[in-house]
Amino acid sequence: QVQLVESGGGLVQAGGSLRLSCAASERTFVRYAVGWFRQAPGKEREFVAAITWPDSSTNYADSVKGRFTISRNNVKNTVYLQMGSLKDEDTAVYFCGKGLGSDPAGYSYWGQGTQVTVSS
């Protein structure tokens, strides 16, 4: 069973940046498509970004295009989400998952999440 661990969340001022990490317990993680999602209180989990394997094609939600970048380091077995120009509405718990696409139903494993809070 794949275990995913997110880290890097925190409190940041609007306009600031954060880099989230998603590390996996299995070396085969490097061959997975991975997505980042977020969930704000009282809202459904929503797609943020995804990266495929092996071509590392990326896909982003319209709300984060041009501000967030998803990438992977196969040596470190880690997927990153670089977030910039952060806004209040980016405040949420961010999750990484093993799967494909922009629908959470397409993901089979999730981490425990990391909180991102943007203050204005």
Side-chain angles (χ1 to χ4, degrees):
Q1 183 174 351
V2 177
Q3 291 185 329
L4 305 178
V5 178
E6 303 94 336
S7 62
L11 175 64
V12 62
Q13 288 189 333
S17 301
L18 279 176
R19 188 178 78 161
L20 306 183
S21 299
C22 173
S25 57
E26 290 189 355
R27 189 67 184 93
T28 53
F29 183 63
V30 300
R31 299 198 294 268
Y32 298 157
V34 174
W36 282 98
F37 288 73
R38 64 189 181 187
Q39 190 164 15
K43 295 188 176 181
E44 294 185 351
R45 191 166 296 191
E46 67 170 358
F47 172 74
V48 176
I51 187 165
T52 64
W53 184 89
D55 57 348
S56 293
S57 295
T58 57
N59 186 32
Y60 298 92
D62 288 343
S63 59
V64 306
K65 277 181 182 176
R67 300 189 299 121
F68 291 10
T69 302
I70 188 171
S71 62
R72 65 193 315 158
N73 183 322
N74 292 335
V75 173
K76 294 186 176 181
N77 215 29
T78 301
V79 172
Y80 302 99
L81 184 68
Q82 179 69 47
M83 306 187 297
S85 301
L86 284 162
K87 306 175 182 180
D88 290 351
E89 51 264 43
D90 295 318
T91 295
V93 178
Y94 283 71
F95 300 88
C96 65
K98 170 185 175 292
L100 194 64
S102 59
D103 187 340
Y107 288 72
S108 53
Y109 295 100
W110 296 97
Q112 82 291 345
T114 185
Q115 176 71 48
V116 172
T117 303
V118 183
S119 65
S120 56

